[in-house]
Amino acid sequence: MPSTLELLEEHRMFGGWQQRYRHPSTSLNCAMTFSIFLPGPKRESPPPVLFFLAGLTCTDENFSTKSGAQRLAAELGIVLVMPDTSPRGESVANDEGYDLGQGAGFYLNATQAPWSDHFRMYDYLNEELPALIAGNFNVSDRQAIMGHSMGGHGAIMLALRNPGRFTSASAFAPIVNPAEVPWGQKAFSAYLGEDRQTWCQYDSCWLMRNSTAKLPMLIDQGDSDQFLADQLHPERLTEIASEKGYPLTVRIQPGYDHSYFFIASFVEDHLRFHAQHLLA
Amino acid sequence: MPSTLELLEEHRMFGGWQQRYRHPSTSLNCAMTFSIFLPGPKRESPPPVLFFLAGLTCTDENFSTKSGAQRLAAELGIVLVMPDTSPRGESVANDEGYDLGQGAGFYLNATQAPWSDHFRMYDYLNEELPALIAGNFNVSDRQAIMGHSMGGHGAIMLALRNPGRFTSASAFAPIVNPAEVPWGQKAFSAYLGEDRQTWCQYDSCWLMRNSTAKLPMLIDQGDSDQFLADQLHPERLTEIASEKGYPLTVRIQPGYDHSYFFIASFVEDHLRFHAQHLLA
């Protein structure tokens, strides 16, 4: 089939290539942009893929420009895929708040008007984008996933809902219990409606409590994060993991905040963690 | 004396601190902003300082957020200082072009109206900012300097004009011969006037040809840099260095462009190069 990918940018980086593509998305019913880092040839076998899901207000570019992850991806021989955080465009519904609408897709399939026409990030990330990557790049079928804040929610939630799909999951400052915190409650009410039963399928605490499969999981959380007390609550997931014997490591990093300076400081540990499982 | 520094931002990073300050500048006659990375304690002696001068359109934030240099600065025990690229503000002269006025100070002292009221980046970097750093932070008196594009010009030019001041200088894709390329000719005409004799003091090729002292110098240049043929001409400096026996290393990096993706790919080499001399 002819590729639907349009190359927007390409930069040599750490002996590999940092690229940015646009493509028409059938799940989201609009044009979407993603970034990808392709390491230089390391081995004979195709490299595995590590997805990074970004947080509120972000695009595919924040992690691409600020994390420094490509250095490790080049060294380890891993493809990084950085999707956008929501559908975009003039015909796509939006909201004045930074935490709803464009830039705030919460990685779910919306069922409520006006959002349900486009906001199907769950399907986009679970089916469409992986198929697009597999069909257009030389990659293995091994995949892992990571994210930050709203994207940490997305990474853990997608991993918990799809046992066997990812070798490992990790997050920086994730929203682990969106059904019970202000950011999640605002978004889930708008996208999914007021029937809270429908929220559970996107709540990592509920999903882990009801999980049977297990995959290795790493979370880093700064204790000077301005959103820690109201929005994040990693201790709720730690408690469930402990009860269930789930292989989750949560590290509290003293003095660190919610920024990409925090992500950059610990991204090496996350890449090496995923490499252990992706390349095993 | 009471500090004139106002702390604007502070983030824990790689075990140290990434900070941003505003202060009134007497050289530039306006408020200025700079960023600084302070590594965590590594040794008993105060750490040396490495200045990074940014390119056209940039501020103190580009290198701070995109280079990944703090990882090495933390490991090696070096303070990074990232100044802005020009005076700023409503009362400061400007131009519609991206290559003149605010964001394009060219690290010189302007002598022509309307620029001479504020555009004195040479004095700011040569005297005021180093004194401010020495007076407010626990640093040694050892200093090195690096930069990108217009900031590469600034770094090499400042080092060549002040023998003994820096232990080493380096640059990514520097403008080494501004008096003979379009960017430099436009800026020097506006800031310094049409008497080309006054331009020499800011032209690294002229300065190196007339230098007596020598300091170690490293340049990285991508061969897919969109500005290479018209604006950069590193071969002109290489030729002079060769004639004079000047300790300059120029590395041509195949496929790399002018972006921060290029800088991030080689910043480790630059930090280790400066560490050899700063920490000797």
Side-chain angles (χ1 to χ4, degrees):
Chain A
M1 64 175 186
S3 172
T4 60
L5 294 182
E6 177 194 357
L7 182 65
L8 303 177
E9 273 184 53
E10 182 171 50
H11 308 274
R12 200 104 172 97
M13 189 181 195
F14 289 107
W17 292 96
Q18 177 73 29
Q19 298 176 328
R20 194 167 191 229
Y21 289 97
R22 183 161 50 206
H23 69 100
S25 166
T26 52
S27 316
L28 297 164
N29 196 22
C30 65
M32 286 294 284
T33 301
F34 70 88
S35 287
I36 186 168
F37 176 73
L38 302 166
K42 296 287 286 187
R43 298 177 182 75
E44 289 189 10
S45 53
V49 177
L50 174 55
F51 292 90
F52 177 87
L53 308 187
L56 290 166
T57 76
C58 290
T59 70
D60 61 298
E61 291 196 290
N62 303 67
F63 190 79
S64 298
T65 58
K66 294 181 175 181
S67 71
Q70 294 96 337
R71 180 178 64 88
L72 286 312
E75 178 193 321
L76 299 165
I78 295 173
V79 170
L80 297 175
V81 176
M82 283 74 65
D84 201 350
T85 52
S86 78
R88 304 268 181 188
E90 286 188 14
S91 64
V92 174
N94 206 357
D95 184 89
E96 290 185 1
Y98 73 96
D99 51 2
L100 189 66
Q102 296 185 34
F106 273 85
Y107 304 107
L108 50 72
N109 291 335
T111 57
Q112 307 295 304
W115 311 106
S116 49
D117 288 348
H118 295 281
F119 283 75
R120 300 184 64 83
M121 287 295 289
Y122 183 85
D123 284 352
Y124 176 68
L125 288 171
N126 208 38
E127 295 164 17
E128 185 176 0
L129 185 61
L132 199 71
I133 300 298
N136 288 276
F137 300 91
N138 178 36
V139 295
S140 82
D141 59 0
R142 293 182 76 80
Q143 302 183 2
I145 193 163
M146 65 192 300
H148 172 229
S149 195
M150 174 183 77
H153 141 72
I156 297 172
M157 175 272 290
L158 275 153
L160 288 168
R161 283 184 62 170
N162 296 279
R165 161 86 192 282
F166 301 103
T167 60
S168 43
S170 79
F172 299 93
I175 306 170
V176 298
N177 193 193
E180 303 295 339
V181 301
W183 273 341
Q185 290 171 336
K186 176 177 176 181
F188 287 7
S189 296
Y191 295 138
L192 303 172
E194 295 302 336
D195 176 4
R196 294 192 170 214
Q197 280 306 108
T198 67
W199 297 9
C200 298
Q201 63 187 315
Y202 298 115
D203 185 280
S204 291
C205 282
W206 188 91
L207 290 164
M208 188 181 280
R209 192 177 286 116
N210 292 277
S211 68
T212 49
K214 294 183 168 73
L215 87 169
M217 206 175 274
L218 171 65
I219 289 176
D220 272 314
Q221 173 64 60
D223 73 1
S224 295
D225 187 322
Q226 59 271 45
F227 302 112
L228 179 53
D230 291 338
Q231 307 281 8
L232 303 177
H233 295 291
E235 75 284 357
R236 294 183 190 168
L237 198 67
T238 308
E239 195 172 314
I240 297 164
S242 173
E243 286 168 15
K244 304 249 325 172
Y246 202 99
L248 167 67
T249 301
V250 177
R251 309 190 306 182
I252 303 300
Q253 304 290 1
Y256 286 84
D257 62 23
H258 201 70
S259 69
Y260 273 80
F261 296 113
F262 160 60
I263 294 176
S265 300
F266 298 103
V267 79
E268 175 161 0
D269 293 351
H270 286 242
L271 271 279
R272 294 197 186 282
F273 163 77
H274 288 294
Q276 277 177 30
H277 305 288
L278 279 171
L279 304 170
Chain B
M1 65 175 187
S3 171
T4 59
L5 294 181
E6 176 193 357
L7 182 66
L8 301 177
E9 273 185 51
E10 182 171 49
H11 307 275
R12 200 104 172 96
M13 189 181 195
F14 289 106
W17 292 97
Q18 176 74 29
Q19 299 177 326
R20 195 166 191 230
Y21 289 95
R22 183 160 50 205
H23 69 101
S25 165
T26 51
S27 317
L28 297 163
N29 195 22
C30 66
M32 286 296 284
T33 300
F34 70 89
S35 288
I36 187 167
F37 175 72
L38 302 167
K42 297 286 287 185
R43 298 177 182 74
E44 287 188 13
S45 52
V49 176
L50 175 56
F51 292 89
F52 178 86
L53 308 187
L56 288 167
T57 77
C58 290
T59 69
D60 60 299
E61 291 196 289
N62 302 67
F63 189 79
S64 298
T65 58
K66 294 181 174 180
S67 71
Q70 295 94 338
R71 180 177 65 87
L72 285 312
E75 179 194 320
L76 299 166
I78 294 173
V79 170
L80 297 175
V81 176
M82 283 75 63
D84 201 351
T85 52
S86 77
R88 303 269 182 187
E90 287 187 13
S91 64
V92 175
N94 206 356
D95 184 88
E96 289 184 1
Y98 73 96
D99 51 1
L100 188 67
Q102 297 186 33
F106 273 84
Y107 304 107
L108 50 72
N109 291 335
T111 56
Q112 306 296 303
W115 309 107
S116 49
D117 288 346
H118 295 282
F119 284 73
R120 302 184 63 82
M121 287 296 288
Y122 184 84
D123 284 351
Y124 176 69
L125 289 170
N126 207 37
E127 294 164 18
E128 183 176 0
L129 186 61
L132 200 70
I133 300 298
N136 287 275
F137 300 92
N138 178 35
V139 294
S140 81
D141 59 1
R142 292 183 76 80
Q143 301 183 3
I145 192 162
M146 65 193 298
H148 172 229
S149 195
M150 175 184 75
H153 140 71
I156 297 173
M157 174 273 290
L158 274 154
L160 288 168
R161 282 185 62 170
N162 296 278
R165 160 84 193 281
F166 301 103
T167 60
S168 43
S170 79
F172 300 93
I175 306 170
V176 297
N177 193 192
E180 303 294 339
V181 301
W183 274 339
Q185 290 172 337
K186 177 176 177 181
F188 287 8
S189 297
Y191 295 138
L192 303 171
E194 295 304 334
D195 176 4
R196 293 190 172 215
Q197 280 305 107
T198 66
W199 298 7
C200 298
Q201 63 188 315
Y202 297 114
D203 186 279
S204 290
C205 281
W206 189 91
L207 289 165
M208 188 181 281
R209 191 177 289 115
N210 292 277
S211 67
T212 50
K214 293 184 169 73
L215 89 170
M217 205 176 275
L218 171 65
I219 290 175
D220 271 314
Q221 173 63 60
D223 74 0
S224 295
D225 187 321
Q226 59 270 45
F227 302 112
L228 178 54
D230 291 338
Q231 307 281 7
L232 303 177
H233 294 292
E235 75 284 357
R236 296 183 188 168
L237 199 66
T238 309
E239 194 172 316
I240 297 164
S242 173
E243 286 167 17
K244 304 250 322 173
Y246 202 98
L248 166 68
T249 301
V250 176
R251 310 190 307 183
I252 303 301
Q253 304 290 1
Y256 286 83
D257 62 22
H258 201 68
S259 70
Y260 273 80
F261 296 113
F262 161 59
I263 294 176
S265 299
F266 298 103
V267 79
E268 175 162 359
D269 294 351
H270 286 242
L271 271 279
R272 294 197 187 282
F273 163 76
H274 288 294
Q276 277 178 31
H277 304 287
L278 278 171
L279 304 170

